[in-house]
Amino acid sequence: MMNNEYMPFVSEILDVKKHTDIEYTFRMSYTNETEVKPGQFFEVSIPKYGEAPISVSGIGKGYVELTIRRVGKVTNEIFEHYVGDKLFLRGPYGNGFDVNLYKDKEVVIIAGGTGVSPVRGVIEYFSNHREEIKNLTLIAGFKSPQHILFAEDFKKWEQNMDVIMTLDTNEGDSSYREGLVTNYIKDVTITDYSNVAAIVVGPPVMMRFSVSGLLNEGLKEEDIWISHERKMCCGIGKCGHCKIDDTYVCLDGPVFNYTKGSQLLD
């Protein structure tokens, strides 16, 4: 009997954390957490409503975390579920970030808005294993103080790395920097350009200009990774919705070295 690749499994909601009015993190039961990488995604489904691809924002013993933005029919219905309720999951899909690629290097991570979610696991790993890298700088951008995700995490990360948080508008609160993330790339201290790695995650325009800023500072294309959060449907390369030229983002990505993924930002 053949396995049905579309068949989901039942997962219990263990915890729900509100970040903003439309962005919550759902902690879902999952027993094979050692097989999950930051940057991968699950298909979350509810019968009669459909399914949606959601990036992994956290991994722990017996669970994965999915940070979900309420923007459509499926995610609207997910927000009606609470601790103890069940959702259907398929996955994990995609290649994710391999933290081994960044060890013993100076690491720069640039994330915009919900782009913090897929890279959160990388930040968390090196925050807890600071001795495995030379240096770590995080530049994160949000629209306003009300749009900040993982605020408690940022307070912890500031103790272990250089954190630059900037807002499109700080609404008069001078404790926050103001402006685009690209404005602060020049403030990153890099001592050895032959031993540096950068990760850029966010809206395509933000990624394109951030990569350009990194290249202008002296980084090489092969030292930059991006995550292309393009709309995906089936997650297994069958429907073709995420196909760009000969690339299936759900299979070949969503994480790409910039030498292979640059055309995806055009």
Side-chain angles (χ1 to χ4, degrees):
M1 184 176 181
M2 295 182 62
N3 292 328
N4 186 343
E5 293 179 303
Y6 288 97
M7 185 65 68
F9 56 88
V10 176
S11 177
E12 181 179 348
I13 300 174
L14 303 177
D15 188 42
V16 180
K17 181 176 179 58
K18 178 180 179 181
H19 300 291
T20 73
D21 289 341
I22 62 169
E23 289 154 322
Y24 287 30
T25 291
F26 289 75
R27 178 171 289 186
M28 308 299 303
S29 62
Y30 189 71
T31 56
N32 297 321
E33 70 279 353
T34 57
E35 300 175 0
V36 186
K37 291 181 180 179
Q40 288 188 302
F41 65 97
F42 282 84
E43 294 281 355
V44 183
S45 62
I46 300 176
K48 299 182 181 181
Y49 289 89
E51 63 181 3
I54 307 295
S55 293
V56 174
S57 61
I59 306 164
K61 186 173 179 56
Y63 70 84
V64 293
E65 291 181 334
L66 306 174
T67 299
I68 301 174
R69 173 179 280 183
R70 187 172 189 164
V71 292
K73 182 173 70 172
V74 178
T75 52
N76 282 343
E77 184 62 22
I78 291 172
F79 271 53
E80 298 302 317
H81 289 67
Y82 304 95
V83 174
D85 288 348
K86 308 288 198 305
L87 296 174
F88 288 96
L89 304 183
R90 289 194 291 117
Y93 296 124
N95 57 352
F97 291 101
D98 183 355
V99 295
N100 293 310
L101 294 173
Y102 314 119
K103 290 181 178 179
D104 298 318
K105 295 180 180 290
E106 297 182 58
V107 179
V108 180
I109 298 176
I110 305 175
T114 55
V116 176
S117 297
V119 81
R120 179 182 175 226
V122 179
I123 301 169
E124 190 74 4
Y125 178 84
F126 286 122
S127 177
N128 294 328
H129 301 84
R130 189 63 181 78
E131 73 283 357
E132 295 187 9
I133 51 174
K134 303 294 185 183
N135 189 39
L136 177 58
T137 301
L138 169 62
I139 306 176
F142 298 99
K143 288 183 179 180
S144 72
Q146 290 74 39
H147 290 86
I148 294 173
L149 305 180
F150 312 112
E152 295 177 2
D153 290 335
F154 274 96
K155 293 178 181 178
K156 180 180 66 175
W157 295 338
E158 287 174 350
Q159 309 302 314
N160 299 322
M161 66 193 75
D162 295 326
V163 175
I164 300 173
M165 183 191 290
T166 179
L167 308 177
D168 292 350
T169 172
N170 61 17
E171 298 183 352
D173 187 343
S174 59
S175 64
Y176 293 108
R177 295 178 176 88
E178 195 170 61
L180 302 176
V181 292
T182 50
N183 295 345
Y184 296 91
I185 293 176
K186 64 181 184 301
D187 295 336
V188 177
T189 300
I190 297 174
T191 59
D192 183 2
Y193 281 89
S194 67
N195 191 40
V196 64
I199 298 171
V200 181
V201 189
V205 172
M206 168 261 171
M207 287 198 291
R208 186 161 57 245
F209 282 100
S210 294
V211 169
S212 178
L214 291 169
L215 294 174
N216 288 338
E217 289 297 313
L219 272 73
K220 300 175 182 177
E221 289 189 357
E222 57 264 32
D223 294 328
I224 301 173
W225 281 259
I226 61 174
S227 179
H228 191 77
E229 299 292 312
R230 186 180 174 89
K231 177 176 172 58
M232 294 174 279
C233 289
C234 71
I236 56 176
K238 301 295 185 183
C239 70
H241 278 73
C242 69
K243 186 179 181 183
I244 303 175
D245 296 328
D246 294 327
T247 300
Y248 287 88
V249 175
C250 68
L251 297 179
D252 304 317
V255 176
F256 294 90
N257 184 271
Y258 187 69
T259 57
K260 298 179 180 179
S262 60
Q263 74 276 12
L264 303 180
L265 297 181
D266 294 336

